[in-house]
Amino acid sequence: MVAQIMWLKTHSRRVKIFCSAVMLTCLCWNAAHAVSVDISGPSETTNEQLLRALSLLRQGKIEDAEAVTREYLAQVSNSAEAYEILGVVLAKKEQIDESIAALEKAVFLNPEQATAYTKLGDIYLATGQKEKAQAQFELALKANPNEPRAHQRLGIFAEEQGNIETAIAHYRRGLIGTSPQYLGIKLNLAILLNKTTEFGKSIDLLEPWLMAGGQSVLARHVLADAYLGAGRWSDAETQYQALLAEQPSNTISLRLGLAIAQRESGAIDAALKTLQAASTDAPNDRSLLLQLAITNRAAGNMDTALDLFSELAKAPDASADALLGLGTTLKLRGDLAQAEQVFKTLTRKYQKNAQGYIELGTLLGLQTRYDEAEAAFSAAHSIAPDNPAVLRGLSTIKLRQGDRAAAIDLAEKVIAIAPDDVSSRFYLATLLQDQGDQQAAMSRYKQVIERDGTHWAALNNLANLTLDSGDTFTAASLAERALRLVPENGIVLDTLGWIRFQQGNLPAALELLQQASQKRPEAAAVRIHLGQTFAALNDAKRAREQYELALKHASDEQQAATIRDLISKL
């Protein structure tokens, strides 16, 4: 029995990530604050006296560091390294003009001294001269293409301007010049990767650092967020719990993350308890209320969820997530007209929010308003052309409009974008099967099973196609695997029962098909198979009873004609 192609739910589950948007604390980009400049020395410094000056500087003994540096300059007046250290000392003393002069002297004496350019850039940045700062960072990279802190600063500039690819490239290049345990640039990159939902890459960056003993609270929070985004609920929960134990005064974002991890892992009651405790401390926090609404909906508390979503959506600056939540909850309650109005409000208010159009398209598709649904999905496609949910939705609309070739083409594109998306591979297999391309469909079902051996529907459909090819032994093996996964499933009972019929094992076929008819009493195909089994057992009366029941539920005139023909042969 071929599983029916259903209207696919195109709203892929999204997890809200609560990353702290922070810059490294070693930088001070506000002229109102004390100037903060990297206090590491030139990378080539080996002189003991200069190393002592740097040590004093790190200890906060600014005057002593200055004395040692000036003493050295009195002996070696052309030392670029000494002038660079002096520039940092003077910056710490808020003597900005003198600091700039010392650093400019350093790069005059050694134009290849990249770290001095970076320090000049930091000073210009801290005093509000951003263009001059950027020029100095670029000069640092000319002197040393791998100067890490210059890459870090330029990465932050690019990120602020929305040039995400450029920012990532700078951060990655900056990592080349740092030790494995240097956290600064690594943290910048991990935060950005979380924002771009590349959670696996963020985890790859921070997990080795954590395993090596890293203790930064911020980095561990970013890693917990990455675990959350990647669906590693247990790891996320462990990190959030540990951070909450250490940070009792900074709990809202941590509790939100913990609650999401608990909810997504199925611990709904624990998630509600976490959120309710957090709401005591922050009763008006919208992010908290949003997650409380989502979790109540997951718990089946639809009235409470609807009240919370409605309250959030009333605000003039209501978030897209609040409107999405309200519309989805109304749809689940069967109030399609009101849900449609909410989704339309969302698309008007947030015209670049693809998810609003996806939800609207899905809702219209449920109502067989396919042309309107196609328009909604097309709008989503113009915003997010590579979003698998958009392409899946468009594919399903094309199928409903009778354009199977276009539906298959779009489904192929989804797999090209998301090769590990099992549900999309299964959907494509069903399209190919309905088109009559048996070999291609079988290949796709096998790919689904390779990726998910528990996908009973793929096992069931592959069993049917294998039976059609004449291999009853392999077909039975596949159907038996499916039945072990879902022993009460009427579709699979029917499939295995029909295979037993084809193998000539009529008693086994009868037992399985009778069970299938109890599970799916209105399925015409099951009644036909059961009728044919009774006929083979020479029980014409019971065969006719099954055929007549099948006739009542025939899906179309062609199936009805087939049933009437079977009756005539009794």
Side-chain angles (χ1 to χ4, degrees), residues 17 19-24 148 151-159 163-178 180 182-208 218-219 222-223 225-226:
I17 304 302
C19 286
S20 302
V22 297
M23 299 299 180
L24 293 181
H151 274 298
Q152 180 188 42
R153 277 57 162 178
L154 289 172
I156 293 172
F157 282 160
E159 190 175 345
N163 299 325
I164 303 303
E165 290 184 6
T166 300
I168 289 175
H170 272 301
Y171 292 146
R172 290 200 180 282
R173 188 66 182 271
L175 286 173
I176 295 172
T178 62
Y182 178 71
L183 183 60
I185 304 173
K186 198 171 293 185
L187 187 53
N188 282 103
L189 179 56
I191 290 172
L192 183 54
L193 290 170
N194 276 3
K195 290 178 181 177
T196 57
T197 70
E198 297 178 83
F199 304 112
K201 293 179 180 179
S202 179
I203 291 168
D204 290 343
L205 270 178
L206 293 179
E207 205 167 47
L218 175 58
V222 174
L223 180 59
D225 291 341

Side-chain angles (χ1 to χ4, degrees), residues 422 446-456 458-459 481:
V422 171
K446 287 175 183 177
Q447 291 173 6
V448 171
I449 295 164
E450 285 170 3
R451 288 164 173 78
D452 181 4
T454 65
H455 201 297
W456 69 265
L459 288 163
R481 283 178 60 186

Side-chain angles (χ1 to χ4, degrees), residues 119-396:
K119 291 177 175 66
L120 266 172
D122 281 349
I123 291 173
Y124 285 132
L125 192 59
T127 54
Q129 301 177 74
K130 193 170 182 178
E131 290 184 3
K132 284 188 176 182
Q134 184 167 346
Q136 293 300 318
F137 297 140
E138 289 169 354
L139 285 170
L141 293 184
K142 286 183 180 179
N144 176 9
N146 292 329
E147 211 293 290
R149 289 168 180 80
H151 274 298
Q152 180 188 42
R153 277 57 162 178
L154 289 172
I156 293 172
F157 282 160
E159 190 175 345
E160 286 179 338
Q161 294 163 7
N163 299 325
I164 303 303
E165 290 184 6
T166 300
I168 289 175
H170 272 301
Y171 292 146
R172 290 200 180 282
R173 188 66 182 271
L175 286 173
I176 295 172
T178 62
S179 69
Q181 279 304 100
Y182 178 71
L183 183 60
I185 304 173
K186 198 171 293 185
L187 187 53
N188 282 103
L189 179 56
I191 290 172
L192 183 54
L193 290 170
N194 276 3
K195 290 178 181 177
T196 57
T197 70
E198 297 178 83
F199 304 112
K201 293 179 180 179
S202 179
I203 291 168
D204 290 343
L205 270 178
L206 293 179
E207 205 167 47
W209 165 86
L210 180 67
M211 298 302 180
Q215 293 296 318
S216 164
V217 168
L218 175 58
R220 287 162 58 205
H221 193 165
V222 174
L223 180 59
D225 291 341
Y227 284 144
L228 191 69
R232 291 173 56 174
W233 315 125
S234 177
D235 290 327
E237 184 173 354
T238 298
Q239 280 298 321
Y240 287 127
Q241 292 279 26
L243 288 165
L244 277 166
E246 298 169 22
Q247 300 285 312
S249 61
N250 179 29
T251 63
I252 297 301
S253 64
L254 295 175
R255 287 184 183 179
L256 282 170
L258 174 60
I260 293 171
Q262 291 170 327
R263 181 182 72 225
E264 297 300 323
S265 65
I268 307 296
D269 290 342
L272 280 173
K273 185 176 179 181
T274 298
L275 289 167
Q276 287 161 355
S279 66
T280 302
D281 298 330
N284 299 316
D285 187 291
R286 291 190 189 179
S287 295
L288 180 62
L289 292 173
L290 178 66
Q291 293 304 321
L292 193 57
I294 294 170
T295 307
N296 269 287
R297 186 174 65 199
N301 304 327
M302 301 301 285
D303 290 342
T304 302
L306 187 59
D307 288 345
L308 287 165
F309 281 126
S310 298
E311 192 63 31
L312 288 165
K314 284 179 185 177
D317 57 343
S319 70
D321 283 332
L323 292 167
L324 277 170
L326 177 58
T328 303
T329 306
L330 289 165
K331 182 177 73 174
L332 290 171
R333 287 171 61 96
D335 194 343
L336 302 188
Q338 197 169 348
E340 180 180 339
Q341 292 308 310
V342 172
F343 290 138
K344 285 182 175 178
T345 298
L346 170 60
T347 57
R348 285 195 300 270
K349 190 171 183 178
Y350 296 97
Q351 296 179 11
K352 296 298 182 182
N353 186 294
Q355 195 61 43
Y357 289 103
I358 291 171
E359 290 291 356
L360 179 59
T362 303
L363 183 68
L364 295 167
L366 286 170
Q367 301 174 75
T368 69
R369 293 159 61 185
Y370 298 129
D371 290 344
E372 294 174 80
E374 182 180 8
F377 280 116
S378 295
H381 188 259
S382 68
I383 299 166
D386 292 333
N387 186 323
V390 175
L391 296 173
R392 278 195 298 269
L394 277 172
S395 175
T396 309

